[in-house]
Amino acid sequence: MTTVAGAVGHILAHLGVGHAFGVVGSGNFHLTNALRRGGVPFTAARHEGGAATMADAYARMSGQLAVLTTHQGCGLTNAVTGLTEAAKSRTPLLVLTADTQASAVRSNFRIDQDALARSIGAVAERVHSPASVVADTVRAYRTAVHERRTVVLSVPLDIQAADAPAFQDADLTLPPAHPIRPDAASVLALTELLTAAQRPVFVAGRGARSAKAELTALAGACGALLATSAVAHGLFAAEPFNLGISGGFSSPLSASLIREADVIVAWGCTLNMWTMRHGQLIGPDTRVVQVDEEDAALGSNRPITLGVRGDCAQTAADVLSVWNSRHPAPQTRYRSAQVAAAIAQHARWRDTQTADLSTGERIDPRVLSSALDDLLPAERTVSVDSGNFMGYPSAYLSVPDEFGFCFTQAFQSIGLGLASAIGAALAQPTRLPVLGSGDGGFLMAISELETAVRLRLPLVCIVYNDAAYGAEVHHFVGDDHTAVRFPDTDLAALARGFGADGVTVRTLDDLGAVRAWLAAPQHRPLVIDAKIASDGGAWWLQEAFKGH
């Protein structure tokens, strides 16, 4: 006979969990150990907020379900910021949390966990009784995986300790999930729009990360240029007609080519204010199409010419089939030799000439980022925190594919970057994990540096250190900045105190220490305390603050 806690762990392990993260307390002790007994790898974080973001990043970068396990009440509330990011990003994530007994009405730990979950956009589920443990756990798992949702599964302490009824693994079989196929009229309408287009552009978002082959094939047939939202960066990295990220991080050339499109097709992308620069990247006569599995996403941010409800890969394949029946040979359209040459030379920000703002004491963040892009191995995962600096790692550090870029910005919280990098590192263990962070966000999350040291991760932390909350400094020009400026902090020394390596970079010559670290066996993190020159406010910042 096993307890309900043991049964929940066994069920989840049997259904398939890539990794579990958490901080273990008395409430989730048995749940966590049940997962571990089932063979699920577990990483202990130093704070539930870090554990939540590690789980989020792991799920994004691996394509597998991740589990966060928390104590009841305060353990769950500590994780809320990371969970809100995951919920808003539609990350398949299951939160396995203890809960107080229904009768413990005076418990210090008692909160309405279901209401809390719903308030952040997650799905609230619970194990209602020992008799329903299989149905409740399978339902939570199925919702997380098949609907790509963050699910909070609460298991009250008294139910955890009760005996679970006998069940067979055969009872845990899930029905297969089939992609939503678009209707024939929608496929025909999209084909007609592409047939009439001379300058088509595809913008792929989070919902199209599994449709690379189908989208590149269709784009090649109809002569479309390729771009992504920030969260899907890297999807078309190897394609010659790749414009990179559409939106605030676009190079001047990429922004111009998107703006001149006569048809923009958004694949699993809602074309929000960031991706379209508040609509500035959509020409006055541009026809806009959205393809998405969810009807509510169609036209949710701006008027569209056509909305197609369907799986992105299936829709692209169906459109290509109709297209090929009409066009025996690929069409050049926007893929002219002139455009190809321009993209090769200027599609990336590092190929765009900018003035070097470096001084003897502080380095231009663009110069630093370009040098590190050359220095670090190409097989990397780049995770980015939030702040004024964030455009530099996003636009200047190349990534090999869609599993090379982790961008946790749906909730726009600073302090998530370090945990993101740890989760991404565990999801892609053969690649060098790289973090781009500001000093404010890095210090906010620095407890998780011990986790990276304990895990012996060869994590490169690039800290763009301006000794301030730079976004506010540059936005509130002429105001009192006392509350957002700080004494300069020796982050390299702090890193060494945690057991990591640390180096201070003020000029390109200081990168010799980074080269030496890369040449040696790598079994612990490297923190690069980059003292950066003021950029006067990052180029994307004015666009960002329009949405506040």
Side-chain angles (χ1 to χ4, degrees), residues 207-240:
R209 290 178 78 233
S210 60
K212 180 196 302 186
E214 292 81 2
L215 292 179
T216 53
L218 179 59
C222 70
L225 304 185
L226 295 163
T228 68
S229 66
V231 292
H233 181 41
L235 184 66
F236 303 123
E239 295 299 313

Side-chain angles (χ1 to χ4, degrees), residues 43-46 447-457 498 525:
T43 294
R46 286 300 184 177
S447 63
E448 299 304 348
L449 186 57
E450 187 279 331
T451 303
V453 170
R454 178 168 22 99
L455 295 174
R456 296 169 59 84
L457 295 179
F498 275 90

Side-chain angles (χ1 to χ4, degrees), residues 113 246 331 333 370 383 502 510:
Q113 296 191 173
S246 174
Q331 304 290 298
R333 306 294 173 94
S370 293
S383 300
D510 295 328

Side-chain angles (χ1 to χ4, degrees), residues 22-223:
V23 175
V24 176
S26 58
N28 62 327
F29 183 88
H30 296 300
L31 292 169
T32 303
N33 279 337
L35 287 169
R36 294 176 62 242
R37 284 195 302 273
V40 177
F42 175 74
T43 294
R46 286 300 184 177
H47 190 278
E48 288 92 348
T53 302
M54 291 175 202
D56 181 6
Y58 181 91
R60 297 183 195 215
M61 295 294 101
S62 70
Q64 296 179 284
L65 181 72
V67 167
L68 167 68
T69 173
T70 71
H71 189 278
Q72 67 271 25
C74 54
L76 181 60
T77 59
N78 275 347
V80 163
T81 297
L83 292 181
T84 306
E85 167 67 34
K88 287 179 177 289
S89 297
R90 295 297 296 268
T91 299
L93 175 63
L94 193 136
V95 184
L96 184 58
T97 182
D99 199 1
T100 54
Q101 307 94 315
S103 61
V105 294
R106 301 290 292 175
S107 170
N108 290 345
F109 296 119
R110 188 175 185 84
I111 61 171
D112 189 339
Q113 296 191 173
D114 290 354
L116 176 64
R118 288 189 290 267
S119 75
I120 63 172
V123 176
E125 291 283 5
R126 62 178 44 246
V127 175
H128 294 280
S129 69
S132 65
V133 60
V134 173
D136 294 338
T137 307
V138 169
R139 184 177 63 253
Y141 179 95
R142 183 178 179 180
T143 299
V145 173
H146 289 182
E147 298 182 27
R148 301 199 316 274
R149 299 295 299 272
T150 295
V151 177
V152 177
L153 178 63
S154 294
V155 192
L157 293 177
D158 54 344
I159 294 177
Q160 279 192 48
D163 289 336
F167 62 89
Q168 303 296 321
D169 286 348
D171 300 332
L172 308 179
T173 303
L174 288 180
H178 298 290
I180 297 175
R181 190 161 199 166
D183 64 85
S186 295
V187 169
L188 184 60
L190 178 50
T191 306
E192 296 287 358
L193 283 170
L194 291 175
T195 299
Q198 292 302 309
R199 298 179 305 281
V201 170
F202 289 178
V203 181
R206 179 184 293 107
R209 290 178 78 233
S210 60
K212 180 196 302 186
E214 292 81 2
L215 292 179
T216 53
L218 179 59
C222 70

